[in-house]
Amino acid sequence: MAATRIDCDIHPAVDGTRTTLLPYLDDHWKEQVVSRAIDGLDLNSYPPNMPFSGRADWRPANGKPGSELAMVQRGAFDQLGASHAICNVVYGAQAVFDSYMAAGFCKAINDWIAAEWLSKDPRLSASIVVPLQAPDLAVEEIERRAGDNRFVSVLVLAQGETLLGRRHYWPVWQAAAKHKLPVAIHAGSAYRTAPSSIGWPSYRYEYYLAEAQAFQAQIMSLIYEGVFGKFPDLKVVLMESGVSWLPAFMWRANKTWRGVRVEVPWVEREPASIIRDHVRVTMQPFDGPPDAAGIADVIEQIGSDKMFLFASDYPHWQFDGDDPMPPHLPASIVTRMCADNPLETFPRLKLAA
């Protein structure tokens, strides 16, 4: 195990809006939360009682998986071997329809994670949760929190209201790039549209597999709408996206671009080259081949050792045993994904002594 092992995706849980966030809400939303009994705004993407949302030994006696700081510290650091970790709070603030409520709850989440987690363990950093329902309010929240270097990225969901490359989101990406904050696109949905491109599935299994298609659509949108040309320093991190779909996707993106590039003349390079420069992926869940030769082929086809980031996804249950490192990875890749790649991707990340 590397001395520096940065876990780029762990999940502190909001145990409840009234029990956890109330002290951090402004007076209006405090009154609304109490009078309307607003609580339990968990995304359908991650129902707390679903086994995937927390392994049995990672569940506290009371509350949600990831809701107790001491248990998360034991799990992420002592048990799974991280030296530092980035907290990504996935909660319903990203999904509520009222943009003002979303902004109030996002502000409360960011203030709560700063006060109750980051201030108590210097090994922890966090992503800024933003109300992407209203890009102007998302920019305000980035600007409000950007002065705190413990916040190292901006967190959005893979499936929101529209594709992330659309121009009305550009002020958000501009603010992120200005403050050297990569955009972390995390698996999950606000359920504005069907998870599948052709309708609603019957089973969660279908939704889960369709997540990779959502990530593909978002990356194509960011490339073809010209986001990376406009903001050349912007990095995007795909969290819980899987990995093995990348080679075929990059090949097809290049092939199609060569045939229809007249439609997007501002995309001056092959999409695969843009992806290698601007996109990073966390390595849990790892859906690669079961043998070393197959994994070597996938890595070679992706064509970059800078794209991979170590992540356990604690307390989500993505692997068996106590080693979240995918098997059969070359030692050189492991070294880069644990330290070099995270430090390059998250320039604001400050490691505790």
Side-chain angles (χ1 to χ4, degrees), residues 2 4-7 83 308-310 325 333-343:
T4 299
R5 196 180 196 187
I6 303 168
D7 191 333
S83 61
F308 310 119
L309 301 173
F310 170 72
M325 186 65 65
I333 294 290
V334 171
T335 299
R336 283 206 63 90
M337 63 188 269
C338 286
D340 297 342
N341 291 351
L343 291 172

Side-chain angles (χ1 to χ4, degrees), residues 101 141 147 280 286 309 347:
M101 178 187 287
E141 186 60 17
R280 304 292 181 259
F286 185 71
L309 301 173

Side-chain angles (χ1 to χ4, degrees), residues 137-200:
L137 299 179
V139 171
E140 286 184 15
E141 186 60 17
I142 291 172
E143 295 292 345
R144 190 182 74 88
R145 270 297 172 188
D148 186 346
N149 283 328
R150 299 175 301 176
F151 287 91
V152 298
S153 53
V154 174
L155 185 68
V156 301
L157 295 177
Q159 299 183 54
E161 295 187 342
T162 58
L163 289 165
L164 295 174
R166 302 298 296 272
R167 294 186 70 93
H168 57 271
Y169 289 132
W170 283 24
V172 183
W173 316 145
Q174 182 180 29
K178 180 179 75 171
H179 294 291
K180 302 185 184 302
L181 292 159
V183 175
I185 305 175
H186 197 283
S189 178
Y191 290 97
R192 298 296 194 269
T193 59
S196 160
S197 62
I198 54 173
W200 292 92

